[in-house]
Amino acid sequence: MHEARSVASPEMQRIDVSGLCKTFQLAGTAIEAVRDVSFSVRRGEFVALLGPSGSGKSTVLNMIATLVKPTSGRILIDGTPVVPGHATPNVGYVFQRDTLFPWRTVAENIGYGLQLMGVPAAERKERISACLKQAGLQDFGNAYPSALSGGMRQRAALMRTLVVEPQVLLMDEPFGALDTHTKIEMHDVLLRIWEREQQTVLFVTHDLGEALTLADRIILFSARPGQIKESFAVDFARPRNAVKIRETPRYAELFQFIWHSLGEEFMKSRSR
Ligand SMILES: Nc1ncnc2c1ncn2[C@@H]1O[C@H](COP(=O)(O)OP(=O)(O)OP(=O)(O)O)[C@@H](O)[C@H]1O
Ligand SMILES: [Mg+2]
């Protein structure tokens, strides 16, 4: 059941990472976080990076997002090298913690990126209202984040990134802080948006169930230094239902298969 897909032609690759390494210097000590990581993500593909805590997942995502400079290696988006410190057009980032501004209403938070882009007020209003509807927040546009539940805040944060219509979405455990049921509800929200918009998604998680529910392919990272241990194709039909998929025998089968390999890395990371 290992990687079964045929290799796509290079022009289909939206994200192409090769020989990526990162060593941090921390108080005079070198910490090798990522070692020789290479992978590609096809246009419209949903890929999960799965691995234990400290395995370099966020570091890889941050390098692709140009927030961290690689020690060595190459990152191409649509065939063009990314430049550390310079945002790449059409790339959106959803962070682990919701990053809403508490002093702005939900609508103002969602509209922030559009405002920065100089989108005229009337169009902004229309796009914000479409996003509020998609996220089931149409009655909360004028509310402040403090009046929302954790799941609602996370939906608003997701929309804040999606409203500018990025074609590449980098997501770092965006639902990590949510309880199981709210998380599954968010999976359905994301699946419906992705089915419609077909963004290319790179989704970091340490939650195997989440990776199986969402992704076309799972890239499993080893314990630090993060290296690609294995890749798995996730062959559930689409559209997927985030609740029902967990009840299928195939889900149980894949879960058990990957869990063993992930478990080995959890154990290694604990003993370090
Ligand atoms: N800015 C930094 N300075 C020094 N070390 C860092 C820095 N950022 C990350 N590291 C180290 O790099 C390693 C990988 O960290 P990273 O955050 O990428 O892991 P992760 O897989 O995202 O873990 P988690 O699942 O806990 O979020 C860790 O050992 C971490 O301490
Ligand atoms: Mg992380």
Side-chain angles (χ1 to χ4, degrees):
M1 209 332 278
H2 291 203
E3 189 65 75
R5 289 171 188 279
S6 61
V7 177
S9 59
E11 64 273 16
M12 300 267 301
Q13 306 299 356
R14 184 129 246 191
I15 304 174
D16 187 26
V17 167
S18 105
L20 202 59
C21 298
K22 179 67 191 180
T23 299
F24 291 103
Q25 295 297 333
L26 192 62
T29 309
I31 297 176
E32 189 185 10
V34 175
R35 183 189 290 176
D36 194 20
V37 164
S38 302
F39 64 90
S40 301
V41 185
R42 292 193 327 273
R43 192 175 288 266
E45 193 181 17
F46 198 127
V47 171
L49 296 186
L50 177 73
S53 184
S55 61
K57 307 178 299 294
S58 295
T59 304
V60 167
L61 211 64
N62 287 337
M63 288 192 279
I64 296 171
T66 75
L67 302 172
V68 166
K69 189 172 186 284
T71 306
S72 59
R74 192 197 64 179
I75 301 166
L76 305 178
I77 293 192
D78 289 331
T80 306
V82 303
V83 183
H86 290 80
T88 311
N90 294 324
V91 177
Y93 200 132
V94 184
F95 292 90
Q96 179 161 7
R97 302 258 158 229
D98 76 63
T99 48
L100 297 177
F101 298 126
W103 60 87
R104 287 175 165 249
T105 65
V106 170
E108 287 164 354
N109 265 287
I110 293 176
Y112 181 67
L114 297 176
Q115 211 176 333
L116 290 183
M117 286 162 64
V119 174
E123 185 188 336
R124 231 162 48 216
K125 203 169 161 204
E126 218 169 89
R127 284 169 71 173
I128 292 168
S129 133
C131 278
L132 285 168
K133 204 162 156 217
Q134 258 178 45
L137 293 171
Q138 54 272 46
D139 297 332
F140 294 88
N142 293 324
Y144 285 89
S146 57
L148 306 184
S149 71
M152 291 159 89
R153 274 203 293 274
Q154 206 57 41
R155 272 183 273 158
L158 182 62
M159 289 305 154
R160 200 168 81 145
T161 300
L162 293 180
V163 73
V164 299
E165 298 174 354
Q167 286 158 18
V168 176
L169 259 183
L170 306 175
M171 308 182 83
D172 193 355
E173 310 219 31
F175 313 136
L178 303 177
D179 68 85
T180 310
H181 295 103
T182 311
K183 201 186 224 193
I184 292 173
E185 188 189 315
M186 288 304 302
H187 292 159
D188 261 332
V189 170
L190 180 59
L191 283 169
R192 298 298 82 82
I193 292 169
W194 177 80
E195 280 154 15
R196 205 181 47 246
E197 307 288 336
Q198 293 285 294
Q199 299 99 335
T200 303
V201 184
L202 193 54
F203 188 104
V204 161
T205 181
H206 56 248
D207 178 340
L208 174 55
E210 178 164 75
L212 281 173
T213 304
L214 297 172
D216 296 313
R217 187 155 54 103
I218 295 176
I219 297 177
L220 178 60
F221 271 49
S222 69
R224 191 170 68 81
Q227 290 171 283
I228 295 178
K229 184 182 182 192
E230 285 178 273
S231 270
F232 306 90
V234 182
D235 52 4
F236 301 124
R238 303 223 186 234
R240 295 179 186 172
N241 175 307
V243 175
K244 293 215 166 88
I245 206 168
R246 290 177 183 250
E247 295 166 356
T248 61
R250 181 71 178 143
Y251 179 92
E253 190 184 11
L254 280 177
F255 193 97
Q256 198 178 7
F257 187 74
I258 303 173
W259 181 254
H260 178 75
S261 195
L262 177 62
E264 284 177 348
E265 300 310 313
F266 273 126
M267 299 302 278
K268 279 191 217 158
S269 68
R270 274 184 169 190
S271 61
R272 281 185 188 160

